[in-house]
Short mmCIF file of all heavy atoms in Angstrom, two decimals:
data_model
loop_
_atom_site.label_atom_id
_atom_site.label_comp_id
_atom_site.label_asym_id
_atom_site.label_seq_id
_atom_site.Cartn_x
_atom_site.Cartn_y
_atom_site.Cartn_z
N VAL A 204 8.06 -35.32 -13.24
CA VAL A 204 8.27 -33.93 -13.75
C VAL A 204 8.36 -32.96 -12.58
O VAL A 204 7.56 -33.04 -11.64
CB VAL A 204 7.17 -33.51 -14.66
CG1 VAL A 204 7.33 -32.08 -15.16
CG2 VAL A 204 7.12 -34.39 -15.93
N THR A 271 18.68 -15.73 1.28
CA THR A 271 17.97 -16.86 1.73
C THR A 271 18.99 -18.05 1.83
O THR A 271 20.02 -17.98 1.30
CB THR A 271 16.88 -17.24 0.69
OG1 THR A 271 17.37 -17.04 -0.58
CG2 THR A 271 15.64 -16.37 0.91
N PRO A 280 19.61 -28.28 -19.21
CA PRO A 280 19.60 -29.63 -18.69
C PRO A 280 20.97 -30.21 -18.31
O PRO A 280 21.96 -29.47 -18.50
CB PRO A 280 19.04 -30.40 -19.88
CG PRO A 280 19.49 -29.64 -21.12
CD PRO A 280 19.46 -28.16 -20.66
N ASP A 287 24.00 -34.52 -11.45
CA ASP A 287 22.57 -34.51 -11.35
C ASP A 287 21.96 -33.51 -12.33
O ASP A 287 22.71 -32.97 -13.08
CB ASP A 287 22.09 -34.31 -9.91
CG ASP A 287 22.62 -33.03 -9.32
OD1 ASP A 287 23.12 -32.20 -10.09
OD2 ASP A 287 22.57 -32.90 -8.05
N VAL A 294 11.44 -23.99 -20.47
CA VAL A 294 11.09 -22.71 -19.85
C VAL A 294 9.78 -22.14 -20.50
O VAL A 294 9.75 -21.99 -21.72
CB VAL A 294 12.17 -21.59 -19.97
CG1 VAL A 294 11.76 -20.32 -19.29
CG2 VAL A 294 13.54 -22.08 -19.44
N TRP A 450 -19.28 6.85 8.62
CA TRP A 450 -18.33 7.41 9.66
C TRP A 450 -18.91 7.22 11.04
O TRP A 450 -18.31 6.71 11.97
CB TRP A 450 -18.15 8.89 9.35
CG TRP A 450 -17.24 9.54 10.34
CD1 TRP A 450 -17.59 9.93 11.61
CD2 TRP A 450 -15.90 9.90 10.22
NE1 TRP A 450 -16.51 10.53 12.29
CE2 TRP A 450 -15.39 10.48 11.42
CE3 TRP A 450 -14.94 9.79 9.14
CZ2 TRP A 450 -14.13 10.99 11.58
CZ3 TRP A 450 -13.66 10.32 9.29
CH2 TRP A 450 -13.23 10.88 10.55
#
Side-chain angles (χ1 to χ4, degrees):
Chain A
V204 173
T271 40
D287 56 16
V294 181
W450 178 286

